[in-house]
């Protein structure tokens, strides 16, 4: 079980006039799902980057079970926190092959069938995704591409799942469905979900609203949204 504490974090990108994150605190306990919302430029991606140690804090810190994130090995950071980036990609082969080519099974250690089933089963079942596995990567829709990207992330089974705009660039109906499926499947998983969609976030434990690098609101969805 992993606890991640982000404490008064300030991150400034090289050459930037103002910090991208300006005193952000966040607490992730096992099973807690936090959604980060806010306008473009608010600092959402920077927060995920800081959690993956891809952005250096100017001050404040990130602690993983009490240890400073800066003191962990690169491998440990990658194993602890991984997920979905904004750049889903696909090879020119079937979705099934795509899962083998880019995912934990592409690494040295092959996953056993039981492990694979345990990690992927709920997602496949919830989305009805197995029917699409034989389809060619060249003809898939945006929704299929995102389902593939999420399948990859779930196969890694990270203690903390980081998701950057999983429903980006999808039409309204596909986005709604993807988010509903996702929030259901990750219901017991420690997650940081960056999104600009408030819809469907009723079930997450905390919604954090960022603006210009600062937390301007935080709470449950029903505490923040005036007209649900
Ligand atoms: P989003 O709002 O979806 O996070 P952005 O357009 O802000 O997307 O950022 C896309 C990518 O470009 C990110 O990797 C971000 O770090 C980078 N980026 C954003 N703003 C700048 C900037 N002013 N200079 C250099 N890179 C930037
Ligand atoms: P969001 O994900 O909420 O859109 P970002 O974290 O991408 O916000 O960006 C926060 C701020 O930091 C923005 O002002 C953006 O232009 C700036 N920024 C992001 N990445 C970089 C970068 N690599 N270099 C310089 N500025 C950046």
């Amino acid at each position: 079980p992993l606890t991640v504490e982000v404490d008064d974090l300030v991150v400034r990108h090289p050459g930037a006039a103002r910090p991208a994150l300006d005193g952000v605190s966040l607490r992730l306990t096992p099973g807690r799902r936090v959604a980060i919302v806010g306008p473009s430029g608010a600092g959402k991606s920077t927060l995920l980057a800081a959690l993956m140690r891809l952005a250096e804090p100017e001050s404040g810190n990130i602690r993983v079970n009490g240890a400073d994130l800066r003191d962990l090995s690169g491998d440990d950071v990658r194993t602890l926190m991984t997920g979905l980036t904004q750049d889903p990609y696909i090879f020119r082969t079937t979705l099934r092959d795509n899962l083998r080519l880019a995912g934990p099974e592409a690494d040295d250690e092959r996953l056993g069938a039981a492990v694979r089933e345990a990690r992927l089963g709920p997602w496949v079942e919830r989305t009805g995704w197995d029917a699409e596995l034989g389809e060619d990567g060249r003809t898939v829709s945006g929704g299929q591409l995102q389902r593939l990207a999420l399948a990859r992330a779930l196969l890694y089974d990270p203690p903390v799942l980081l998701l950057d705009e999983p429903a980006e660039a999808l039409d309204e109906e596909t986005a709604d469905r993807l988010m509903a499926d996702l929030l259901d499947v990750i219901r017991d998983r420690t997650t940081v979900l960056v999104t600009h969609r408030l819809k469907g976030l009723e079930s997450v434990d905390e919604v954090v609203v960022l603006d210009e690098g600062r937390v301007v609101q935080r709470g449950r969805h029903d505490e923040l949204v005036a007209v649900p």
Side-chain angles (χ1 to χ4, degrees):
L2 208 72
T3 297
V4 178
E5 287 159 298
V6 176
D7 189 27
D8 210 9
L9 193 70
V10 178
V11 174
R12 190 190 305 269
H13 292 289
R18 65 166 182 86
L21 292 177
D22 196 0
V24 171
S25 297
L26 194 70
R27 192 178 163 81
L28 289 166
T29 48
R32 188 172 175 82
R33 297 175 306 163
V34 177
I36 311 291
V37 304
S40 184
K44 305 183 296 296
S45 299
T46 301
L47 179 58
L48 289 187
L51 287 167
M52 291 185 280
R53 210 170 62 187
L54 299 172
E56 178 79 14
E58 182 176 291
S59 63
N61 58 55
I62 301 176
R63 292 185 175 278
V64 179
N65 281 352
D68 198 304
L69 187 66
R70 277 172 280 213
D71 296 334
L72 301 184
S73 73
D75 272 354
D76 280 348
V77 175
R78 277 186 292 278
T79 308
L80 289 175
M81 298 191 254
T82 184
L84 177 76
T85 62
Q86 273 182 7
D87 255 339
Y89 56 91
I90 192 159
F91 296 112
R92 293 171 163 233
T93 177
T94 61
L95 292 178
R96 185 178 288 108
D97 281 345
N98 264 281
L99 264 183
R100 280 197 303 113
L101 292 169
E105 286 167 304
D107 301 340
D108 301 340
E109 200 182 322
R110 303 254 151 187
L111 293 180
V115 172
R116 187 189 168 82
E117 166 60 24
R119 293 183 182 181
L120 211 52
W123 181 239
V124 167
E125 198 172 311
R126 167 80 205 204
T127 58
W129 196 56
D130 53 344
E132 299 170 2
L133 279 170
E135 285 189 35
D136 194 294
R138 276 167 287 202
T139 58
V140 297
S141 65
Q144 284 173 317
L145 185 55
Q146 289 304 88
R147 284 193 287 281
L148 170 69
L150 286 164
R152 278 179 182 147
L154 292 169
L155 268 183
Y156 277 102
D157 195 29
V160 179
L161 184 63
L162 305 176
L163 301 172
D164 197 353
E165 298 278 14
E168 173 138 90
L170 300 179
D171 65 74
E172 197 65 17
E173 197 187 317
T174 310
D176 283 351
R177 204 185 112 197
L178 185 89
M179 290 303 284
D181 288 346
L182 175 63
L183 286 164
D184 180 65
V185 165
I186 64 168
R187 81 186 92 105
D188 298 319
R189 234 172 212 292
T190 317
T191 305
V192 181
L193 166 67
V194 166
T195 177
H196 57 268
R197 308 168 59 84
L198 272 170
K199 208 165 161 185
L201 295 184
E202 292 84 355
S203 70
V204 305
D205 297 292
E206 186 180 32
V207 179
V208 174
V209 187
L210 281 184
D211 191 21
E212 299 193 338
R214 295 201 173 92
V215 176
V216 292
Q217 297 228 47
R218 68 194 316 157
R220 303 265 325 188
H221 180 277
D222 61 355
E223 295 167 339
L224 298 186
V225 178
V227 184

